[in-house]
Amino acid sequence: MNTTLFIALRYWRSKSADRFGRMVTNLASFGIILGVMALIIVLSVMNGLESMQKRNLLSSLPHAVLSLKEGKLTKDQAVKFPVFIAKSVPINQTNVVIQSKNSINAGQLIGVENSNDDPRLTELNIQQQLPKSRFNVIMSYSLANQLKVNKGDKIRLMITENSRYTPFGRVPVQRLFTISDLYFSQTNDSNTLFANLSDVGRLLHIYPNQTQGLRLFLDDPFKVSQLTDYFDQNKWHISDWREQKGEFFQAVKMEKNMMGLLVSLIIIVAISNIITSLSLMVVDKQGEVAILQTQGLTKNQVMQIFMFQGSIVGIIGAILGGGLGILATVYLSDLIHLISPMGIVLPTEIAIPQVISIIVISILLSLLCTLYPAYQAAKIEPATALRYE
């Protein structure tokens, strides 16, 4: 074994006469364990909440809408997509004013062709419910309750973005639609209506072989920022889910960063105790250090002894804290049930690269904190330390 590592291990395992210094060392090790454990649990819970919100809020939205800046997209036009785009479907969409006999509301009309064009329509037979040129529409149950309508009723849709001139002036394009079916919406996008793609195109004066663009569904919604690398922004216009939900996820990300920063202070305070414990040990062991120097130990080797000793505390604390943090995260719901049996389940997601980063950074910080005490130990002069021995 390396001589300096051997001496450092002996110092670490010995029952020091300085009980206060020993207590500070134990507190530093315990603080690192507690801080690393808490940081892993907090970040895993925040990761789980972020993933849950991503599934719940973004599962029913097109992750991006791709359209030409000039002209319309033809249905047979070939578009090269990156590998992370799971699905693309043609789309015609517009904002509408919805009028029934009893109420009025605003919403968005989207044209579809198949049941898999939108996650909210997978259980419906779109070809049967939305045949071409019949001007049928499907809406959510919550919107139907607001408008006080049901299946089979007629509603008037007015397109404010498109208008025509009449003897009475310029009026928006409008059309009566028949409600053919209703769907459940678990998100706040309940004001979305679905009609046949060609019917929506006719209202927008779009040729049957053309569409406004393509709805893109990605394997990971957070990859939308990479779309600009594949599509020329001078030719294509890209709108994505961040326009509707971006502020919410920015708030979640900021909260995650702040929680991580606050819990990291526990680790920083614990690691700073290494400086105190090593400084006390330098004072306690200066006679032994002086004797070792007279026997041939160099100043660099003296520094290594105390650096090894502080690193041992940091490595053991970081590894134990990482293991306990992962274990506590896996059984977090059971632990919460023991404390408060209210049936609360916290979603968790352990990110292994994140855990490794926490452990490695904790070890590096503990190593950094050993430099000053180790430098003070290397400055010990044998003649001065052994003068009164």
Side-chain angles (χ1 to χ4, degrees):
M1 184 183 293
N2 182 277
T3 303
T4 53
L5 179 59
F6 176 76
I7 297 172
L9 288 172
R10 288 291 299 270
Y11 281 171
W12 178 67
R13 291 182 298 179
S14 66
K15 302 293 183 181
S16 175
D18 186 2
R19 293 185 178 180
F20 178 73
R22 190 72 181 177
M23 183 187 70
V24 173
T25 302
N26 292 335
L27 286 176
S29 181
F30 178 75
I32 295 173
I33 293 173
L34 185 64
V36 171
M37 178 180 171
L39 187 58
I40 290 174
I41 293 174
V42 168
L43 291 183
S44 297
V45 171
M46 296 301 295
N47 290 339
L49 289 172
E50 188 177 55
S51 297
M52 184 184 70
Q53 294 298 336
K54 183 166 65 173
R55 289 192 304 269
N56 292 343
L57 295 179
L58 303 182
S59 61
S60 60
L61 289 177
H63 302 148
V65 176
L66 182 69
S67 59
L68 291 171
K69 285 193 171 181
E70 295 182 1
K72 302 299 180 182
L73 193 68
T74 59
K75 292 184 178 181
D76 57 352
Q77 184 173 345
V79 181
K80 186 177 180 180
F81 296 115
V83 294
F84 56 83
I85 294 181
K87 183 177 64 174
S88 66
V89 295
I91 182 176
N92 287 326
Q93 64 179 358
T94 181
N95 295 322
V96 295
V97 175
I98 313 164
Q99 184 181 16
S100 67
K101 293 181 179 180
N102 303 303
S103 183
I104 190 170
N105 209 328
Q108 185 181 45
L109 180 64
I110 295 178
V112 293
E113 290 182 311
N114 302 294
S115 299
N116 58 359
D117 285 357
D118 192 278
R120 290 164 287 189
L121 305 177
T122 53
E123 298 181 358
L124 302 178
N125 188 339
I126 297 302
Q127 285 79 10
Q128 181 180 350
Q129 301 293 340
L130 299 177
K132 186 178 179 181
S133 302
R134 293 286 298 275
F135 291 96
N136 289 350
V137 70
I138 296 175
M139 67 170 57
S140 66
Y141 279 94
S142 59
L143 181 59
N145 290 333
Q146 296 175 26
L147 296 173
K148 299 178 182 179
V149 294
N150 210 330
K151 291 170 60 175
D153 293 342
K154 291 186 180 294
I155 57 173
R156 183 179 299 275
L157 300 184
M158 293 176 283
I159 303 176
T160 57
E161 300 174 5
N162 196 5
S163 59
R164 58 186 178 183
Y165 290 98
T166 68
F168 303 99
R170 192 172 181 178
V171 297
V173 173
Q174 52 185 303
R175 178 83 191 199
L176 286 176
F177 278 77
T178 303
I179 302 173
S180 60
D181 210 337
L182 304 173
Y183 70 89
F184 286 102
S185 176
Q186 298 179 351
T187 65
N188 57 356
D189 303 311
S190 58
N191 282 21
T192 302
L193 301 91
F194 297 94
N196 185 276
L197 183 69
S198 300
D199 293 348
V200 178
R202 286 177 61 183
L203 294 177
L204 298 174
H205 304 300
I206 298 175
Y207 291 110
N209 65 331
Q210 293 181 337
T211 59
Q212 288 179 330
L214 297 170
R215 305 174 83 197
L216 305 180
F217 295 88
L218 284 61
D219 54 11
D220 183 359
F222 288 174
K223 292 182 180 179
V224 291
S225 58
Q226 302 179 24
L227 291 175
T228 53
D229 299 332
Y230 295 90
F231 298 100
D232 186 5
Q233 291 184 288
N234 295 323
K235 178 182 178 182
W236 298 96
H237 173 72
I238 302 173
S239 60
D240 55 62
W241 61 266
R242 291 177 296 182
E243 298 177 3
Q244 302 180 43
K245 307 293 183 182
E247 293 182 357
F248 174 80
F249 282 93
Q250 285 292 335
V252 172
K253 184 177 180 180
M254 184 179 295
E255 184 179 357
K256 177 181 175 181
N257 293 337
M258 291 303 299
M259 290 291 293
L261 177 62
L262 292 175
V263 179
S264 298
L265 294 178
I266 301 176
I267 302 177
I268 295 174
V269 172
I271 290 175
S272 64
N273 287 334
I274 295 177
I275 300 177
T276 305
S277 63
L278 287 181
S279 298
L280 293 173
M281 180 160 286
V282 169
V283 175
D284 184 39
K285 302 292 185 181
Q286 60 180 348
E288 298 178 16
V289 171
I291 294 172
L292 289 171
Q293 285 181 318
T294 60
Q295 294 182 349
L297 208 67
T298 64
K299 292 187 179 297
N300 287 335
Q301 289 176 314
V302 172
M303 287 188 65
Q304 290 176 19
I305 290 174
F306 292 94
M307 289 177 67
F308 277 136
Q309 189 171 355
S311 299
I312 290 170
V313 175
I315 291 171
I316 293 177
I319 293 176
L320 280 178
L324 291 174
I326 293 174
L327 189 64
T329 302
V330 172
Y331 295 100
L332 185 60
S333 297
D334 297 331
L335 294 174
I336 293 177
H337 182 70
L338 290 176
I339 299 172
S340 177
M342 300 289 292
I344 300 175
V345 178
L346 280 178
T348 57
E349 181 179 319
I350 299 174
I352 298 300
Q354 198 174 62
V355 173
I356 294 174
S357 299
I358 294 171
I359 294 174
V360 170
I361 291 174
S362 300
I363 293 174
L364 291 177
L365 287 176
S366 63
L367 179 62
L368 186 64
C369 288
T370 63
L371 294 179
Y372 176 75
Y375 175 72
Q376 292 297 322
K379 288 175 62 178
I380 295 175
E381 295 296 336
T384 304
L386 299 175
R387 180 180 300 173
Y388 302 104
E389 293 294 331

